[in-house]
Amino acid sequence: LENDPGLEFETAGVRGELMPLGTGASKFDLAVSFGERWDEGGGPAGLGGFVDYSTDLFDRTTVEDLVARLARWIGTLAEAPDTPVSRLDAVLPDERVRVLREWNATSREVLSGPLGALFAAQAQRTPDAVAVVSDEGELTFAELEARANRLAHRLVAQGVGPERVVALVLPRSVELVVAQLAVVKAGGAFLPVDPAYPRERVDYMLTDAAPHLVIREGDDLDASAYPSTPPQVEVLPGHAAYVIYTSGSTGRPKGVVVSHAGVGNLA
């Protein structure tokens, strides 16, 4: 705040006044300066100001946006000086309409049904389209559907069903995708566990989730003797589809259960 009243001077018959002059450079990333204004009678007549900013960091429109918010805040505080800063509105009127109405016009039909059934429907629509690509090769939707169905039958025979967790300690691979689909088709919930995790973290996740089965890299996943059609298992939208563990910012990872309805909504 430049509040030095000596902005004009006169000496030896020469009258002078200070004039703002840009230097073409900014000393700081962003600097806001104000100067007091006075009327002819010496009374306060508001504030004038300018902004210096680094053009390497800010666009002109961004700075103009910041200035508009600042002017709005100052106006609010001038009318109600006791307003807490926490109650100042940072959203401009046109922005409020854009955020609440224009950007929020997102109503659309949401996929419904179990994940396994949704994938089966896609496999029927595009059986020959490529579904998975990896260093090991490719699988079409029809091939992936058949492999997942066969493994799902095997998992059902091993007691996997709704609300039962199957831990998949597998690297990113075709087998991982097949196993994930197989688990949900069997009605269970898969728990992805990166085998590259520290042993302590893996042990904690497996102990905490208490999975019905654990599938590891190198395990025999051959299910060629089972049918390639989906197993007859009733899977409801509210059943668990998978369990995912957070990063553990509070000290220990926490398992979050995602339902089939949640997966459809996300997709």
Side-chain angles (χ1 to χ4, degrees):
L1 174 63
E2 301 290 347
N3 59 355
D4 183 356
L7 298 181
E8 296 184 5
F9 62 90
E10 186 172 346
T11 179
V14 177
R15 181 175 178 274
E17 62 179 300
L18 295 178
M19 300 290 291
L21 179 64
T23 63
S26 178
K27 296 180 180 179
F28 307 101
D29 293 346
L30 184 70
V32 182
S33 299
F34 287 103
E36 295 176 342
R37 288 177 176 172
W38 310 92
D39 58 24
E40 293 180 357
L47 297 172
F50 63 90
V51 178
D52 274 331
Y53 63 94
S54 169
T55 55
D56 287 340
L57 300 176
F58 298 98
D59 294 327
R60 182 183 180 90
T61 54
T62 301
V63 176
E64 290 175 342
D65 196 39
L66 293 173
V67 171
R69 295 175 202 278
L70 181 59
R72 179 177 173 85
W73 287 350
I74 291 175
T76 300
L77 291 173
E79 294 176 359
D82 294 332
T83 303
V85 173
S86 61
R87 295 188 62 184
L88 293 176
D89 193 353
V91 181
L92 301 176
D94 58 335
E95 284 183 323
R96 188 174 300 281
V97 173
R98 186 161 63 249
V99 171
L100 295 181
R101 297 181 184 177
E102 296 176 13
W103 289 353
N104 202 36
T106 56
S107 178
R108 61 185 299 169
E109 183 179 353
V110 174
L111 291 171
S112 61
L115 179 57
L118 292 175
F119 185 84
Q122 181 64 43
Q124 285 187 339
R125 288 191 294 268
T126 58
D128 298 324
V130 176
V132 180
V133 177
S134 78
D135 293 338
E136 307 156 34
E138 299 179 350
L139 283 183
T140 65
F141 275 87
E143 291 169 338
L144 179 54
E145 169 73 1
R147 284 186 57 177
N149 285 337
R150 289 191 176 97
L151 183 56
H153 280 285
R154 177 176 170 177
L155 294 176
V156 170
Q158 293 176 285
V160 176
E163 303 302 312
R164 286 197 165 179
V165 176
V166 177
L168 305 177
V169 191
L170 299 170
R172 289 171 182 255
S173 59
V174 171
E175 283 69 27
L176 174 61
V177 179
V178 171
Q180 288 175 332
L181 274 173
V183 172
V184 296
K185 285 174 172 289
F190 64 84
L191 166 63
V193 180
D194 191 335
Y197 281 161
R199 177 63 181 273
E200 181 180 352
R201 180 181 175 89
V202 172
D203 291 344
Y204 172 79
M205 293 169 65
L206 296 181
T207 301
D208 186 64
H212 178 73
L213 285 178
V214 178
I215 298 176
R216 300 179 184 273
E217 188 176 13
D219 286 351
D220 179 16
L221 299 182
D222 179 40
S224 56
Y226 292 89
S228 61
T229 54
Q232 297 302 306
V233 178
E234 183 180 17
V235 183
L236 303 178
H239 282 156
Y242 66 88
V243 180
I244 196 76
Y245 273 76
T246 65
S247 59
S249 58
T250 58
R252 285 194 169 188
K254 293 179 175 62
V256 178
V257 179
V258 180
S259 68
H260 285 268
V263 175
N265 185 55
L266 174 63

